[in-house]
């Protein structure tokens, strides 16, 4: 099985006053390695922040609010989704285009599809 890696752009949501260049989208890496954990995906935020979340949670959160504890996902309007990461250092709220996450999830299921018959 192959690793799926997709580069995306997302917005970090904050209540701080940001200058215009800080309001632009930031690079994010979405990664799925079925040999490491077939039920999880990784989300790499700028810097050294990388989160591991359940693939099913990400999928559920695109349709309705899902999750508790460290990771929560929910739709935001018709075309966006929010992923909220909680840690001892605080909360990171990241806004994605839903289609980006859906495309990534489709690719993860394609990568794990078993051939029919041998």
């Amino acid at each position: 099985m192959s690793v799926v890696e997709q580069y995306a752009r997302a917005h970090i949501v904050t209540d701080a006053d940001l200058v215009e260049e800080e309001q632009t989208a930031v690079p994010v890496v979405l990664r799925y390695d079925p040999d490491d954990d077939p039920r999880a995906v990784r989300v790499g935020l700028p810097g050294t922040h990388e989160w591991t979340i359940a693939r099913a949670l990400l999928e559920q959160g695109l349709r309705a609010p899902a999750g508790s504890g460290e990771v929560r996902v929910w739709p935001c309007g018709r075309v966006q989704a929010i992923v909220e990461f909680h840690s001892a250092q605080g909360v990171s709220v990241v806004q994605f285009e839903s289609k980006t996450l859906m495309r990534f999830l489709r690719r993860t299921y394609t990568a794990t599809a078993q051939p029919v018959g041998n």
Side-chain angles (χ1 to χ4, degrees):
M1 289 187 249
S2 60
V3 172
V4 175
E5 192 168 89
Q6 180 173 319
Y7 295 89
R9 303 211 38 94
H11 292 275
I12 306 295
V13 179
T14 179
D15 61 357
D17 290 331
L18 298 176
V19 293
E20 190 167 321
E21 56 269 8
E22 291 177 327
Q23 294 176 0
T24 61
V26 297
V28 176
V29 178
L30 304 170
R31 182 175 170 80
Y32 174 71
D33 184 348
D35 293 331
D36 183 36
D37 184 349
R39 296 176 311 249
V41 296
R42 295 183 186 274
V43 179
L45 300 175
T48 58
H49 306 294
E50 183 175 83
W51 293 83
T52 300
I53 64 174
R55 184 168 60 159
L57 171 64
L58 185 58
E59 185 174 4
Q60 292 167 357
L62 291 174
R63 293 186 303 273
S68 61
E70 292 183 349
V71 180
R72 298 175 184 147
V73 183
W74 68 90
C76 179
R78 295 168 54 144
V79 297
Q80 297 176 333
I82 300 292
V83 182
E84 185 177 271
F85 302 100
H86 293 255
S87 71
Q89 292 76 33
V91 178
S92 295
V93 181
V94 184
Q95 183 177 23
F96 288 90
E97 286 190 21
S98 297
K99 67 181 179 182
T100 299
L101 296 176
M102 286 186 277
R103 185 179 321 117
F104 172 68
L105 285 169
R106 259 194 318 273
R107 291 179 64 212
T108 69
Y109 287 112
T110 301
T112 57
Q114 297 295 321
V116 177
N118 284 332

